[in-house]
Amino acid sequence: MSRARQPPLVTGISPNEGAPWTKVTIRGENLGTGPNDLIGLSICGHNCLLTAEWMSASKIVCRVGPAKDDKGEIIVTTRSGGQGTSTVSFKLLKPERIGILDQSAVWLDELNYYDMRTDRNKGISPLSLRPANPLGIEIDKGKVPLKDLENMFPSMSGDFTSENFSATWYLIENHSSTSFEQLRAAVGNLKKQASKKNEGSLAYVKGGLSTFFEAQDALAAIHQKLESDGTEKVEGSMTQRLENVLNRASETADTLFQEVLGRKDKADSTRNALNVLQRFKFLFNLPLNIERNIQKGDYDIVINDYEKAKSLFGNTEVPVFKKVYSEVETRIEALRKLLLDKLLETPSTLHDQKRYIRYLSDLHAPGDPAWQCIVAQHKWILQLMQNCKEDLIKEQKVGGVDLELDRSSALNRISLSAPVKRGGSFQTPKDDSWHYKSPQQVRFVEKLSDVVISQLPNFWKLWISYVNGSLFSETGEKSGQVEKLKKNARQRQNDFKGMIEEVTRRLVQLVRGALLPSSLTEQQLRQYGGWNTKTPLRGAWLTQVIHTVRLSHEALSALEIPNDLLQVIQDLLQDLRVHCLLTTLQHTEEDVKRLAEKEDWVVDNEGITSLPAQFEQCMVQMLQSLKEPMECKPGEINIFNLDVVQDKACEQCVSIMKVFIKCLEHLSTKTDGEIGTSHLSVDLASPDLFGGIQKDFGSKPEQRLIILSNCQYLERHTFLNLAEHLEKNGFTTAEKIIRVSIEALRQLDEYLFETYIDKKSDPIVGSLEPGIYAGYFDWKDCLPPTGVRSYLKEALVSIISVHAEVFTVSKELVSRVLSKIIEAVAEEMSRLMQCVSSFSKNGALQARLEICALRDAIELYLTSESLTSFKQALEALPQLQSGADKKLLEELLNKFKSSMKLQLNCFKPASFQPVKR
């Protein structure tokens, strides 16, 4: 039995440190008797037996594997000596990441390195493994837009991995604010990197020197073997035999593995295709994703994906990529058309319009979609306005004519019967049925105004967004495209101004065609007219129209639309206000004509009927209904300051007054049941305003007195009140209106009064002369007087009856009427006395008795004219000579007054205090 050997002992290792797979030489004692005796070798805990090469009992060569420990012993195990020990250790260095393009002197385990084709987390190329900051200084991204850089450096790139790399572009993009000192430091960094690269190549050579020597030794041994082979034998040289062996081995391998290798090649190509699909799945899936997102309305996602694809594959030369990208462009072109159709679709909200315009801008749609939208919106607004007119005219033709008459008559009843309170205003009814009863023209203006108020503000806001650029970028980004679009917008300002002018002009012309057709030309009427104007609108409806147009003007003014564009609406409002004023006055005149039908002849305590109050109420109601349209809103003028309007209003008001006076005239000439309105259509300008009275004065005396009393009240109260109302409501010619009206009223009053006096005084005056000479009475031959004769008593009774008739109607008329009648009686008595050639004593006493009795009885109503007549009558009589005659005269007068006391009480002051005219 042989003696056991000593266990292996490692006493040295060279080198004593290195990265995994570093080749080392191990030296020691008892390292084995041969290669077969070596059964174990570990360095730092990693089994290196596979790469170990036994050289001798004191030397072993191997490669260090990737051990877990950074530092460890070298343990050799042999069959003869067992497991050994080590007096030295090896330090394992962590390997640096070696790229697929870097040099390496040792074999690398590729499993520990990334395969960039299967790296799912980073879809980047191997070139991107290069440093992101080659200059080694802080990157400061500039604010120069990418589009501007592309224009400055055509066909160049700022990517330092690109073949068309431009250093200037890179510096502008990443170091526009970097100081010169920092750039100098960056140059130093680049030089260091270059020298390090050169040193790396030298280090690579040094590190792999042993490998080179081994390769050199192997090649030298092969060369020596070949030379020692000598001459060629039958089989040929060694190299030829080796070549034949290799060829046969290759053919055999091909035969064995041809099918397998074919499947492997196919699998490799499939795997490569899948890798390409996986790596560029974004592009290949993009057409389908675009379709899906368009159907869901996710246009933002489509635009973002398209921008990404355009930046990655827009300039690609790879055929398959070009084909897929062309399909993407086809889908995007269809999207552009879809978005443009949606943009031009009406109706549409302002939010949607802005959204679609921004989408089209991001998709770089050709033309100017924003301006196309503005043009389409303008046409649509005009069409809506025209449709309003056509729809309502069509309604009017179907059955609106009869309804119009009903509405007109209904409004007449409302305006005439509505009570008017002082300080109040006429309120248009606002019940639910009001809209359906309103005329077509009023509904048309309201609907037209709704269209303008609802559409024009969004139209104006769309333009403002277009001008300031917010239409194209929510963040206010100032890109070259946005600035270009803003410049286009500024160039189109005049075109847009023309659009606004056309909308406002169309609004005004349509309203004029419905309400003021006389202000349009024949050609304009054919386009904007067509309304049934046989029944003109009353003032209340026109007031509602003015209110509607004012609301439209205020709404447009609030948008800060220039005033010059809205001036046509102001002009329309002025014409409507004038039209409303004159129309209201005309309809008031018609209402006044019908007041005669309402005379009930019921007299109040003041001796007047309700007619003056009804007339005043009608006028006050008319003024209150004019209060809103005549009120001057901001930007409007007082239409009463216009001379033409002032003259027409004055003329119309005077006409209303004269129509009412004409009503009074006909009321005084017609009996009950004969009052009508047809006879009021007379020429008010005729100088013989009351000539018709001569033809027919057949009404009751009481009615004529009532008219006289009404005339007196109108002059003293009603007309003065109306003057005050007219002035308060802006009628600058109120004084002239009332002055002319009072003149016409006085003409009627005087004519009626004189006619009434003649009617009442003629019978009394006519009865005097027959009564005096009744029974063949002779002043020259008569008996002594015994009292006042009957004719005088009858005359007084007649006067008393007139007094009673007048007093029943109006106390204030008594003095005026009786004074005139007594003047006629006194004048007749004076004439009769002066016609007597001579008086006897008894005759003179009788005449004086009767004249004095008459004078004293009616003393309260004596005027200067009647006193003069009585004086002349008494002067025509012989004077009383004796005191007995005077005494007899006084006694007879007292007797008369005593006997007639009851009848003469009506002539006493105690009855009432007369108001002399």
Side-chain angles (χ1 to χ4, degrees):
M1 183 175 180
S2 62
R3 183 177 61 86
R5 297 183 66 84
Q6 294 293 326
L9 175 65
V10 177
T11 58
I13 184 171
S14 178
N16 59 359
E17 63 180 8
W21 308 112
T22 300
K23 188 174 183 180
V24 296
T25 301
I26 301 172
R27 299 185 183 275
E29 300 174 358
N30 303 320
L31 299 182
T33 59
N36 294 330
D37 190 41
L38 182 64
I39 61 175
L41 174 61
S42 65
I43 301 177
C44 296
H46 184 269
N47 187 5
C48 300
L49 183 62
L50 186 62
T51 61
E53 183 181 356
W54 186 87
M55 306 298 293
S56 66
S58 59
K59 180 180 178 182
I60 297 175
V61 178
C62 72
R63 290 187 181 274
V64 179
K68 295 181 179 179
D69 300 328
D70 294 339
K71 189 174 184 180
E73 295 180 340
I74 301 94
I75 303 299
V76 178
T77 304
T78 62
R79 286 191 178 92
S80 59
Q83 184 174 345
T85 57
S86 174
T87 60
V88 296
S89 62
F90 183 82
K91 184 178 181 181
L92 186 65
L93 302 179
K94 292 184 178 180
E96 295 183 0
R97 175 65 61 86
I98 299 177
I100 59 176
L101 300 180
D102 294 340
Q103 296 175 343
S104 175
V106 298
W107 180 264
L108 299 178
D109 185 1
E110 295 182 353
L111 296 177
N112 295 330
Y113 292 84
Y114 290 107
D115 184 353
M116 301 310 300
R117 294 173 300 172
T118 59
D119 186 0
R120 299 293 186 266
N121 296 324
K122 297 182 180 180
I124 55 177
S125 67
L127 295 178
S128 62
L129 293 174
R130 297 186 181 183
N133 185 10
L135 297 184
I137 59 177
E138 183 180 357
I139 294 178
D140 182 12
K141 288 288 184 179
K143 298 181 179 179
V144 180
L146 182 61
K147 293 291 184 182
D148 294 348
L149 289 173
E150 291 176 352
N151 295 333
M152 293 168 59
F153 304 98
S155 70
M156 303 297 288
S157 173
D159 183 5
F160 59 85
T161 63
S162 173
E163 295 180 358
N164 300 325
F165 172 69
S166 170
T168 307
W169 182 335
Y170 178 82
L171 289 176
I172 292 175
E173 183 178 8
N174 298 286
H175 299 284
S176 59
S177 301
T178 304
S179 64
F180 182 72
E181 293 299 326
Q182 288 177 313
L183 292 177
R184 291 182 62 180
V187 172
N189 293 337
L190 287 176
K191 290 180 178 179
K192 289 179 181 179
Q193 292 179 19
S195 61
K196 184 177 180 181
K197 185 174 182 180
N198 294 333
E199 290 175 359
S201 299
L202 183 60
Y204 159 73
V205 174
K206 291 180 178 179
L209 194 59
S210 61
T211 305
F212 294 152
F213 289 157
E214 291 176 1
Q216 176 65 29
D217 292 343
L219 291 173
I222 293 173
H223 182 69
Q224 184 178 1
K225 181 68 175 174
L226 291 174
E227 286 186 345
S228 65
D229 184 42
T231 60
E232 296 183 359
K233 299 179 181 179
V234 180
E235 295 85 359
S237 66
M238 177 181 177
T239 55
Q240 287 177 339
R241 292 200 306 274
L242 180 61
E243 181 180 1
N244 293 333
V245 171
L246 291 175
N247 287 336
R248 288 196 300 272
S250 176
E251 290 175 358
T252 303
D254 288 343
T255 303
L256 293 174
F257 298 103
Q258 183 173 10
E259 183 179 354
V260 176
L261 292 177
R263 289 198 299 269
K264 179 180 179 299
D265 291 341
K266 186 176 181 181
D268 289 342
S269 63
T270 303
R271 187 181 301 108
N272 291 335
L274 290 174
N275 288 337
V276 172
L277 289 174
Q278 182 65 26
R279 181 178 178 184
F280 302 103
K281 65 179 179 179
F282 164 74
L283 177 63
F284 293 112
N285 293 335
L286 189 55
L288 181 59
N289 289 336
I290 288 177
E291 287 291 339
R292 290 174 178 173
N293 290 324
I294 288 176
Q295 292 177 1
K296 292 189 293 185
D298 295 335
Y299 303 121
D300 290 307
I301 298 177
V302 174
I303 292 173
N304 292 335
D305 290 347
Y306 173 65
E307 288 293 336
K308 182 179 179 181
K310 185 177 181 181
S311 63
L312 293 175
F313 306 102
N315 298 320
T316 183
E317 296 297 331
V318 180
V320 64
F321 291 167
K322 290 177 70 175
K323 181 178 180 181
V324 177
Y325 184 74
S326 65
E327 185 67 23
V328 171
E329 284 289 359
T330 302
R331 298 286 199 282
I332 293 298
E333 185 61 33
L335 176 60
R336 292 191 187 106
K337 186 177 183 305
L338 173 65
L339 291 175
L340 185 60
D341 292 341
K342 286 182 174 291
L343 175 63
L344 303 182
E345 183 180 294
T346 53
S348 178
T349 63
L350 179 62
H351 176 267
D352 288 342
Q353 290 171 349
K354 287 184 176 181
R355 195 160 55 95
Y356 293 140
I357 290 172
R358 196 171 291 121
Y359 289 155
L360 289 169
S361 174
D362 293 340
L363 290 173
H364 308 286
D368 192 346
W371 181 249
Q372 289 178 270
C373 178
I374 290 174
V375 172
Q377 196 72 9
H378 171 247
K379 292 180 179 178
W380 185 63
I381 293 174
L382 294 179
Q383 187 60 45
L384 281 179
M385 296 168 71
Q386 195 68 24
N387 291 344
C388 286
K389 174 205 161 195
E390 294 173 357
D391 293 344
L392 285 171
I393 286 184
K394 192 179 298 182
E395 279 184 37
Q396 189 182 48
K397 290 180 179 179
V398 170
V401 175
D402 296 335
L403 292 175
E404 189 73 22
L405 296 175
D406 293 341
R407 294 189 196 105
S408 178
S409 60
L411 188 58
N412 289 341
R413 292 192 296 272
I414 291 172
S415 61
L416 289 175
S417 61
V420 178
K421 297 180 180 180
R422 295 187 181 273
S425 61
F426 178 76
Q427 295 293 331
T428 304
K430 294 298 181 183
D431 60 350
D432 294 338
S433 62
W434 181 254
H435 173 74
Y436 300 103
K437 294 178 182 177
S438 59
Q440 297 286 353
Q441 292 97 317
V442 177
R443 292 171 56 197
F444 164 67
V445 174
E446 290 176 348
K447 191 173 180 182
L448 186 65
S449 177
D450 289 342
V451 169
V452 174
I453 292 178
S454 62
Q455 299 300 327
L456 204 56
N458 288 341
F459 185 58
W460 177 261
K461 291 175 184 176
L462 182 65
W463 164 255
I464 295 300
S465 301
Y466 180 50
V467 172
N468 60 29
S470 63
L471 197 60
F472 311 105
S473 173
E474 292 181 346
T475 60
E477 176 187 357
K478 293 184 178 180
S479 65
Q481 183 185 9
V482 172
E483 292 300 320
K484 180 180 178 181
L485 292 171
K486 288 170 64 177
K487 182 179 179 182
N488 292 341
R490 288 191 291 270
Q491 292 175 350
R492 291 190 166 111
Q493 283 185 347
N494 289 334
D495 296 335
F496 183 78
K497 182 178 179 181
M499 290 181 179
I500 295 293
E501 286 179 346
E502 186 174 2
V503 171
T504 53
R505 185 171 61 252
R506 180 70 59 86
L507 168 67
V508 169
Q509 289 173 337
L510 285 171
V511 175
R512 287 185 181 276
L515 301 173
L516 303 171
S518 59
S519 63
L520 299 178
T521 63
E522 291 185 4
Q523 182 178 358
Q524 290 173 334
L525 270 178
R526 284 193 293 270
Q527 184 176 359
Y528 305 112
W531 297 90
N532 176 23
T533 56
K534 293 180 181 179
T535 306
L537 295 180
R538 294 188 67 88
W541 295 123
L542 291 173
T543 299
Q544 188 172 340
V545 168
I546 292 171
H547 178 73
T548 303
V549 177
R550 277 174 171 169
L551 289 179
S552 301
H553 184 268
E554 290 174 3
L556 298 182
S557 298
L559 297 174
E560 299 182 356
I561 296 178
N563 290 332
D564 57 330
L565 299 180
L566 303 179
Q567 185 58 42
V568 289
I569 302 181
Q570 285 283 19
D571 296 341
L572 170 65
L573 277 171
Q574 178 178 319
D575 292 348
L576 284 175
R577 292 166 66 206
V578 173
H579 180 60
C580 178
L581 170 64
L582 299 180
T583 300
T584 302
L585 292 175
Q586 290 172 2
H587 288 154
T588 302
E589 181 178 334
E590 296 172 2
D591 295 340
V592 169
K593 286 180 183 180
R594 290 187 286 271
L595 287 179
E597 303 171 0
K598 299 185 178 183
E599 179 59 274
D600 54 9
W601 303 109
V602 177
V603 180
D604 62 9
N605 293 332
E606 297 182 5
I608 59 172
T609 63
S610 62
L611 200 60
Q614 291 180 8
F615 173 65
E616 182 176 357
Q617 175 181 327
C618 185
M619 293 295 290
V620 170
Q621 179 178 322
M622 177 265 295
L623 293 174
Q624 288 179 337
S625 68
L626 288 173
K627 188 174 182 179
E628 181 180 351
M630 295 304 105
E631 182 183 0
C632 292
K633 298 292 184 180
E636 297 179 357
I637 65 171
N638 185 355
I639 61 174
F640 288 111
N641 292 336
L642 303 174
D643 293 338
V644 176
V645 177
Q646 189 179 122
D647 293 343
K648 288 184 178 180
C650 177
E651 179 183 347
Q652 197 68 43
C653 287
V654 170
S655 177
I656 293 172
M657 298 290 193
K658 288 187 176 181
V659 162
F660 182 65
I661 295 172
K662 196 69 177 176
C663 285
L664 297 177
E665 173 199 348
H666 282 276
L667 284 173
S668 68
T669 61
K670 297 296 181 181
T671 59
D672 294 343
E674 295 182 1
I675 302 299
T677 56
S678 59
H679 58 275
L680 296 182
S681 56
V682 296
D683 184 6
L684 297 175
S686 172
D688 188 13
L689 183 60
F690 310 107
I693 296 180
Q694 294 177 337
K695 300 177 183 178
D696 185 2
F697 205 86
S699 63
K700 297 177 182 179
E702 186 176 321
Q703 291 180 352
R704 292 194 291 273
L705 286 173
I706 291 173
I707 299 300
L708 278 172
S709 178
N710 285 343
C711 289
Q712 184 173 275
Y713 183 84
L714 286 168
E715 180 179 350
R716 296 179 181 178
H717 299 92
T718 304
F719 281 9
L720 298 180
N721 292 340
L722 289 179
E724 183 179 349
H725 286 300
L726 289 171
E727 288 178 0
K728 285 182 179 179
N729 286 274
F731 284 76
T732 55
T733 57
E735 185 272 332
K736 178 181 178 182
I737 294 170
I738 299 303
R739 175 169 48 79
V740 174
S741 302
I742 289 178
E743 289 176 1
L745 183 66
R746 284 177 177 173
Q747 291 179 21
L748 174 62
D749 179 86
E750 291 296 333
Y751 209 93
L752 290 176
F753 181 73
E754 290 175 3
T755 307
Y756 180 76
I757 294 300
D758 291 343
K759 191 77 173 178
K760 293 298 180 180
S761 63
D762 285 350
I764 299 174
V765 171
S767 66
L768 291 177
E769 186 172 2
I772 289 175
Y773 296 104
Y776 303 102
F777 179 81
D778 188 0
W779 295 108
K780 298 177 183 178
D781 183 14
C782 63
L783 297 173
T786 59
V788 176
R789 288 184 292 170
S790 299
Y791 82 91
L792 189 59
K793 294 179 180 180
E794 292 175 358
L796 285 173
V797 170
S798 298
I799 294 173
I800 290 171
S801 66
V802 173
H803 177 281
E805 184 177 84
V806 176
F807 187 85
T808 303
V809 175
S810 174
K811 299 175 184 179
E812 295 184 359
L813 281 177
V814 172
S815 177
R816 182 183 176 195
V817 172
L818 292 187
S819 297
K820 280 294 182 182
I821 291 178
I822 290 170
E823 284 180 4
V825 172
E827 183 181 358
E828 179 64 16
M829 290 294 290
S830 174
R831 184 187 68 80
L832 290 174
M833 294 300 107
Q834 291 177 7
C835 290
V836 177
S837 59
S838 61
F839 290 90
S840 65
K841 177 183 176 183
N842 292 334
L845 187 58
Q846 183 71 45
R848 188 175 292 275
L849 171 63
E850 292 174 353
I851 291 173
C852 289
L854 178 61
R855 183 193 62 186
D856 292 346
I858 57 176
E859 181 181 5
L860 189 62
Y861 303 106
L862 292 177
T863 63
S864 59
E865 288 82 359
S866 58
L867 284 173
T868 301
S869 297
F870 280 120
K871 183 179 179 181
Q872 291 174 353
L874 291 174
E875 289 176 351
L877 301 177
Q879 297 297 320
L880 297 179
Q881 300 298 326
S882 63
D885 292 340
K886 292 180 180 179
K887 184 178 179 181
L888 177 61
L889 177 63
E890 185 176 353
E891 289 176 355
L892 292 174
L893 281 174
N894 291 335
K895 179 183 177 183
F896 166 73
K897 293 177 181 178
S898 177
S899 63
M900 296 283 292
K901 181 179 180 180
L902 182 61
Q903 288 82 356
L904 299 179
N905 272 340
C906 63
F907 299 137
K908 298 298 181 181
S911 300
F912 71 103
Q913 185 64 36
V915 180
K916 293 188 178 181
R917 186 176 174 83

